[in-house]
Amino acid sequence: MTDSTSTRASSASGSAVPMVFADGVSKSFGSNTVLKSISLEVQRGEVMCLVGPSGSGKSTFLRLINHLEVLSAGRLSVDGDLVGYRESNGKLYELQPKEAARQRRDIGMVFQKFNLFPHMTALQNVSEAPLRVKGEPRARVEERARALLDRVGLADRADYYPAHLSGGQQQRVAIARALAMEPKLMLFDEPTSALDPELVGEVLDVMKGLASDGMTMIVVTHEMGFAREVADSLVFMDGGVVVESGDPRELLGNPKHERTRAFLSKVL
Amino acid sequence: MSAANPQSAGRGTSPRGRAEIPDDADPKAIKAIKLRHPYRIVFAVLLVLTFVLFIIDAAQRPAYDWPTVGQYVFDRRITQAAFNTLLLTVYAMVIAIVLGVLLAVMRLSPNPVVKSVAWFYLWVFRGTPVYVQLVFWGLIAVIYQTIDIGIPFTEPWYSFSTQATLSTFVLAVIGLSLNEAAYMAEIVRAGLLSVDRGQEEAATALGMSWSQTMRRVILPQSMRVIIPPTGNEVISMLKTTSLVTAIPFGGELYTRSRDISAETFNPIPLLIVASIWYLFFTSILMVGQYFLEKRFSRGIGDRRPDKNSGAPAPTGTLSIAGVSQPTVLHATGDTGHGSGRRQKR
C-alpha cells in the first residue's frame, strides 16, 4: 500500500525528537487524581499499547495528548510542540482555540463508541474534516476518501449511513475518517471494546496494516494478542501510574511486578 | 423448527412451536377468528350520531348565520387580514428561530459573558407576559421619540424618529419575535443537549472549531428534537398574532373580523370565518412539519441507504423524540450491529 503516511514516517524517522514526550504528566478532576506523574516517550513509527484495569487512567492519558482534557501538571509535547500551551521566556501561555484545533489536526483519534456523525454517509464522514478544516477542493477530498474507505475494505459502503453499518464497519469508517486528515500520530481509545467478538478481528486487521505502514500509534486496548503481535512497546498502568513498561512479548511472558501479574492472570 | 425456506422463517405470522408443522413444510400462516371489539363499534356509532345531530342542529340554528359566513369567508378585507396574519407569523417565527438558535448557542458557550447575556434576555422576555410586551412596544414612540446612532454624549451621526420609522406592523413583528425567541432558545438548547457528547469530541479531535462543530455536527442532529416543538410554536404563534391589537395593529384576522362584526352587530359568523382561516393555515403548517421531520431523520430510523448519494430519498418512519431509540436495520447482507453507537453514556 503506497500511502502518504508510510513515506512521511520513513522520511521523518531520522529526526531525534520523539513523537510524544510526556514528563511528569498528572491529571486530577477536583480532588480526584487520575494520573500521577506519567513519564514516557513514543518514537516515530512506534506502536505503543497501553493496558491496565479500567479506571487506571489510560484513556485520560490519551485524551491529554489530544488536548481533549487539560493537563494538571507536567509537560507533554507532540512532535516537539507543547500540547495546549505556548512557552516563551519560561512562561506558559494557553493556546487560542484556533491554535489548539490546528494541533489536533495532525493527531487522529478513534473512539470506543466510534462517534461517527449519524447524519452523514460514510463518505461524508470521511470527507467532512478535510473539506471544512483544511478547505481542500471537494474532488480531491472525495477521491482520497474513497481510497481510504477502500483501504479499510469498505469501498462499497461509501454511501451508507452509519446506522446501516455493523459495529466493525463503523469503527473502520472512523479510522478512515481520522486518516483523512493525514495525521502523524493515531490514538486509539479501546477501539474494539464496543464490538461483538466476531467483529474485533476486522478492526484489528486495519490497525495492523496501519502499523506496518509505519504510522505512529498509541493504542489503549484489552487485546493482548494484538499487543503481543503488533506493539513495539507495552505500558501497564494501574491507579494512575505506570507500573511497568517494556517489550510486549517480554512483559506479557514474564511480568516483573505483582500488580501486572495479577492483571494479566485475569485477562490472558 | 428447521425452515426450508429462509425467507419465511422470520415472518411474524409464523406460529412458534405450538402448532405441529411437518419438517419439510413451510410454517402456515395463522387462520384465526379475529378478536371482536363490540363496544368500540357501539361507541363509534354513538359518537357519529351525536356529531350528526350537532351538525344538523348547527346548520339550522339562526345564530350561526351561515349565509353571512359564506358571504365573508372570501371577503377582500378578511382575505387581506388572513394574509397579514400569515405574514406576521412567518416574519416573527423566522426572526425568533434565528435569534433562538443564537441565544441557545450563547447559553451553551464556554464564554461566561456571552452566557450571562443570554440568560438575562431569557429572564426578561420569558418572565413578562407577551401582551404586556406588546403594549410596551406600542408605546415605544412615547418612551423613545428618536433613535440616535453615534457616540454617547456627542452629536449623533444619524437620528431618526421612532414614530415615523416603525410602523405598527414592524412593531408587531418585533414584539412577537423577541418574545418568541426566548422560548425558541430553550427548545433549541434542549435539542443541542440531546446530542451525544461523543459527537462534539469526535469533531474537536478532527480539528474542527467550536462553531464548525455546532453548525456541521451538533445542530443538524439536534433538528430532529427541535422540529416537533417548533411546529407547536409556529401554530401557537399563528394564534398569538391576535394579540397585536395591543400595539395597536388592527390588520390581522381576529381584529379585522371583530371590526366587521362591530359594524354588522353579528359577531358569531365572523368568529367562524376567522376560525376557518386559522384552521386552514394550521393544517398547511402541519403538512410542512411532516416533511421537515422526514428530512432531518436522515441516517436514523427505517431508511435504505441511497446508492446515488446526494439527494436522499427517505422512506418509512420518522422518529420524533427517539433520541435513544433502537435503530431498525436493513438486511444489507451483514451482521447488523448498528445500534451500538446509540448506547447510553
Side-chain angles (χ1 to χ4, degrees), chain B residues 88 138 163 165-175 244 247-251:
Chain B
L88 273 177
Q163 181 90 56
T165 342
L166 301 173
S167 69
T168 49
F169 181 81
V170 171
L171 286 174
V173 170
I174 293 175
V244 299
I247 292 233
F249 174 76

Side-chain angles (χ1 to χ4, degrees), chain A residues 72-212:
Chain A
S72 301
R75 292 174 73 85
L76 181 61
S77 62
V78 173
D79 204 12
D81 294 326
L82 278 182
V83 172
Y85 298 95
R86 185 164 34 82
E87 190 172 37
S88 82
N89 299 330
K91 280 183 189 160
L92 288 181
Y93 297 90
E94 279 185 23
L95 287 186
Q96 293 284 338
K98 211 181 240 176
E99 296 169 292
R102 185 173 286 276
Q103 281 189 341
R104 289 193 191 97
R105 282 184 191 186
D106 298 333
I107 306 171
M109 185 147 186
V110 175
F111 299 87
Q112 181 179 356
K113 289 194 296 173
F114 329 136
N115 294 346
L116 287 181
F117 306 135
H119 58 302
M120 299 182 192
T121 63
L123 185 73
Q124 289 168 337
N125 263 285
V126 179
S127 314
E128 179 67 13
L131 277 176
R132 309 286 157 187
V133 178
K134 285 189 173 170
E136 293 180 60
R138 181 174 288 274
R140 206 169 76 203
V141 169
E142 289 198 347
E143 190 188 340
R144 199 170 71 225
R146 284 189 194 279
L148 282 167
L149 285 173
D150 187 36
R151 181 176 178 180
V152 299
L154 291 172
D156 57 335
R157 293 287 186 269
D159 296 324
Y160 280 55
Y161 284 94
H164 298 112
L165 298 172
S166 74
Q169 291 172 335
Q170 287 190 54
Q171 192 60 297
R172 286 187 279 153
V173 173
I175 293 173
R177 177 175 72 173
L179 291 175
M181 291 298 280
E182 297 175 318
K184 54 190 176 190
L185 168 67
M186 285 285 283
L187 309 174
F188 292 85
D189 189 4
E190 302 200 25
T192 58
S193 298
L195 297 177
D196 286 348
E198 80 270 21
L199 303 175
V200 168
E202 61 190 60
V203 172
L204 292 183
D205 285 344
V206 169
M207 291 166 63
K208 279 176 200 165
L210 266 181
S212 64

Side-chain angles (χ1 to χ4, degrees), chain A residues 235-256:
Chain A
V235 173
F236 173 71
M237 286 175 72
D238 191 11
V241 296
V242 172
V243 176
E244 205 171 326
S245 64
D247 179 76
R249 281 150 293 269
E250 201 177 304
L251 202 149
L252 289 172
N254 183 23
K256 301 217 164 29

Side-chain angles (χ1 to χ4, degrees), chain A residues 63 66-69 100-102 104-105 107-109 111 113-121 124-125 128-129 132-133 146 156-157 159-170 177-178 181 194-196 198-199, chain B residues 196-209 212 216-218 220-221 298-310 312 327-330 332-345:
Chain A
R63 295 160 59 83
N66 209 357
H67 203 47
L68 285 176
E69 304 281 358
R102 185 173 286 276
R104 289 193 191 97
R105 282 184 191 186
I107 306 171
M109 185 147 186
F111 299 87
K113 289 194 296 173
F114 329 136
N115 294 346
L116 287 181
F117 306 135
H119 58 302
M120 299 182 192
T121 63
Q124 289 168 337
N125 263 285
E128 179 67 13
R132 309 286 157 187
V133 178
R146 284 189 194 279
D156 57 335
R157 293 287 186 269
D159 296 324
Y160 280 55
Y161 284 94
H164 298 112
L165 298 172
S166 74
Q169 291 172 335
Q170 287 190 54
R177 177 175 72 173
M181 291 298 280
L195 297 177
D196 286 348
E198 80 270 21
L199 303 175
Chain B
D196 192 290
R197 257 198 71 77
Q199 292 290 312
E200 191 182 336
E201 280 190 352
T204 308
L206 284 169
M208 291 170 82
S209 69
Q212 276 175 331
R216 300 287 309 169
V217 177
I218 310 291
Q221 289 184 62
R298 257 185 319 170
I300 289 144
D302 186 2
R303 182 174 178 289
R304 275 167 225 285
D306 47 309
K307 275 291 171 193
N308 38 1
S309 75
T327 312
V328 183
L329 286 163
H330 271 290
T332 50
D334 300 297
T335 43
H337 190 254
S339 53
R341 182 179 49 75
R342 238 176 291 285
Q343 279 164 1
K344 283 277 105 181
R345 289 146 257 198

